[in-house]
Amino acid sequence: MLEAANGLEIGRDLTRANTLALPSVAERFWRARSEQDVMHGLRLANEHDWPLTVLGGGSNLLLPPHIAGLTLCPDLDGLSFRAAAGDRVDVEVGAGVVWHTLVEACVERELWGLENLALIPGLAGAAPIQNIGAYGVELGDVLEWVELIDRRDGRRRRLGRDECGLGYRDSVFKRELANRVVITRLGLGLSWRPRPRLDYGALDQRVPPSPSARDVFEAVCAIRREKLPDPVALPNAGSFFKNPVVSRQRADMLAAMHPDMPRYPQPNGDVKLAAAWLIEQCGLKSCRDGAFGVHDRQALVLVHFGGGTLDELLAFADRVAGAVRARFDIALEREPRQAGEPASG
Ligand code: EPU
C-alpha cells in the first residue's frame, strides 16, 4: 500500500475491514477524523470525478475485489449526554463510535432506549442507513437527527428523523442519498424513565420482574451470542435477507398449510414472515457450498468459511433465494448493500 503526499492511501486492502472477510482492495482510501477531513475527501472525489464508497464498520456492505474511486471512512469520535426536559436525555454521537460501545455507555448511565440494540456490529454512523433494529426496537424509535456532509455542495446538513425516510431496514440513505452524503453525527433522545420493551420473542422470560436497562441489555447479548456467529470467528454480515412482508390473505393461505409458520402482523394489516424459517423449511440450514454456507443456528445468516469472493457469495445467495421462491413463491430481498451498486428504489 502506498501513501500519497495528500494523505490518500493507494491500494488499501479491505479484506479485514469487512465482517464477511471478502477479499477487496480500495483504489484510494481516505480516513476522515473530522468534518474538515470529510469535506476534503469529498472535494478530492468531486475534482477527479471519482465514484464514492463510504465504509464504516464494514458489517453491512458487500465488497467487490476492486473498489474504484475513493473509499471514505468517516472515523469521527465524540459522545455527549445532556439532560433535557422531564426524563429526557439528549445524546450526540460521532459516526465513528462503535455502535455497541455507545449502547454500553448508555446502559452504564442507566439510560433507556438502546438496550435492545446491544451487540449489533458496526459504527454509529451506519445505523440510520438500514435503520438498525432488533428485539422489537428500531433506531427510528430514538433517533432525533442525522448530520451529514453533502457531496454536491460540500456543506453540512441536519436531517430531522422525519426527513430520513426510515422504514424496515430502509432509509433515504439507501435510496436518494446513497453514495451522495457522508453521515458525521447522530442525535438520539433517550430516557431516565424505565421503558422496557420485552414483547419480542422470549425476551420477557430472560429478565427479572421490573428489569433494569442492564438486565435487558445482558439478556439481548446472551440471546445474540447463542444464535449469531461472531464475525471474527466465522465471517458474516448478520441477516443476509430481509424478512418478507406479504398481504394478510397470502399469510393466511400459507399458515393454513404451515400452522407453525411464524408471522408478525404489521400496523397496516400486512404480515411479516420469518425468512430464516422459510430457508430452514427448504432444508438449507447448515448447508455449505464451497466457501459459503447457511449458519447452523440462524438460517438467515450466510457465513464465509474462507477463500470465497463476492461473485461466489452472490451465486450462493441466489441459490438460497431461488429455493425459497420455488417452494413458497416468495422473493427474498437482500439486506446488506453492495459497494458500487446503484442506489435502490
Ligand atoms: N427461525 C427459524 N430458523 C432459524 C432461525 C429462526 O425457523 O434458523 C424462526 C424463529 O424460530 C423465529 C423466527 O424465525 O420464530 C424469527 O427468528 P429471530 O428471532 O432469530 O429473528 P429474525 O427474524 O431471523 C430479525 C432481524 C435480526 C434481529 C432479530 C431479532 C432482520 C432481517 N433480521 O431476525 O437482525 O437480530 O430479528 O430482532 O430483520 C440483522 O439485521 O443483521 C439482524 C441480525
Side-chain angles (χ1 to χ4, degrees):
M1 185 185 70
L2 293 172
E3 184 146 345
N6 55 12
L8 270 187
E9 295 173 32
I10 309 296
R12 161 85 171 227
D13 187 351
L14 298 178
T15 309
R16 284 159 173 263
N18 74 101
T19 61
L20 263 162
L22 293 171
S24 180
V25 173
E27 188 177 10
R28 301 175 194 83
F29 182 84
W30 177 252
R31 182 177 298 279
R33 297 191 196 274
S34 65
E35 272 192 350
Q36 286 67 32
D37 281 357
V38 174
M39 290 171 181
H40 181 67
L42 292 180
R43 260 198 310 277
L44 281 176
N46 283 343
E47 272 167 31
H48 299 276
D49 207 16
W50 291 329
L52 176 70
T53 299
V54 182
L55 177 72
S59 56
N60 202 48
L61 200 58
L62 307 179
L63 300 187
H66 175 79
I67 307 178
L70 182 73
T71 299
L72 190 152
C73 175
D75 195 7
L76 290 85
D77 59 9
L79 176 57
S80 66
F81 298 85
R82 194 169 53 83
D87 53 23
R88 191 185 143 105
V89 175
D90 291 328
V91 180
E92 287 192 19
V93 60
V97 173
V98 171
W99 175 262
H100 184 70
T101 305
L102 164 68
V103 176
E104 271 186 312
C106 296
V107 168
E108 245 161 52
R109 288 167 176 78
E110 295 178 35
L111 290 174
W112 288 83
L114 296 186
E115 58 285 348
N116 293 42
L117 303 179
L119 273 190
I120 296 181
L123 305 182
I129 299 176
Q130 54 151 341
N131 186 22
I132 57 171
Y135 302 98
V137 174
E138 286 184 343
L139 176 74
D141 298 337
V142 292
L143 183 72
E144 293 295 330
W145 48 262
V146 172
E147 247 174 39
L148 52 85
I149 312 288
D150 194 319
R151 177 176 185 172
R152 288 165 303 176
D153 56 10
R155 295 204 172 177
R156 181 203 302 149
R157 276 163 68 197
R158 186 180 274 205
L159 299 188
R161 179 192 23 219
D162 294 344
E163 297 171 279
C164 294
L166 301 177
Y168 167 57
R169 296 293 191 276
D170 195 29
S171 72
V172 285
F173 308 110
K174 267 187 160 179
R175 295 180 267 110
E176 299 89 303
L177 298 185
N179 309 322
R180 254 182 39 194
V181 300
V182 178
I183 293 172
T184 51
R185 253 175 356 141
L186 311 183
L188 309 174
L190 303 188
S191 171
W192 298 115
R193 189 168 47 86
R195 44 176 194 186
R197 298 280 302 270
L198 306 174
D199 31 332
Y200 187 94
L203 200 49
D204 55 347
Q205 291 158 32
R206 316 255 315 209
V207 293
S210 310
S212 64
R214 175 160 295 280
D215 290 330
V216 179
F217 168 88
E218 279 169 3
V220 169
C221 289
I223 297 173
R224 290 186 71 103
R225 286 197 175 104
E226 282 163 20
K227 293 188 184 178
L228 297 170
D230 173 1
V232 176
L234 187 52
N236 72 87
S239 301
F240 199 86
F241 300 102
K242 289 185 184 183
N243 284 327
V245 178
V246 300
S247 67
R248 193 165 62 80
Q249 292 88 319
R250 190 77 210 292
D252 287 345
M253 272 168 55
L254 286 165
M257 287 183 285
H258 308 281
D260 60 338
M261 180 184 76
R263 38 194 307 190
Y264 307 97
Q266 300 298 293
N268 69 353
D270 288 345
V271 178
K272 198 189 268 182
L273 305 179
W277 183 89
L278 298 170
I279 294 169
E280 186 168 343
Q281 296 305 302
C282 295
L284 293 175
K285 198 167 180 173
S286 315
C287 83
R288 176 175 178 172
D289 185 0
F292 296 97
V294 174
H295 187 48
D296 55 2
R297 276 174 284 146
Q298 222 306 354
L300 199 43
V301 178
L302 302 190
V303 293
H304 180 195
F305 296 103
T309 61
L310 175 61
D311 281 350
E312 288 164 12
L313 170 61
L314 296 178
F316 181 71
D318 277 352
R319 283 203 287 283
V320 173
V324 169
R325 196 179 313 109
R327 169 112 196 243
F328 294 101
D329 193 24
I330 289 176
L332 291 184
E333 193 185 331
R334 198 179 67 218
E335 207 271 300
R337 290 167 307 135
Q338 187 178 326
E341 202 178 38
S344 60

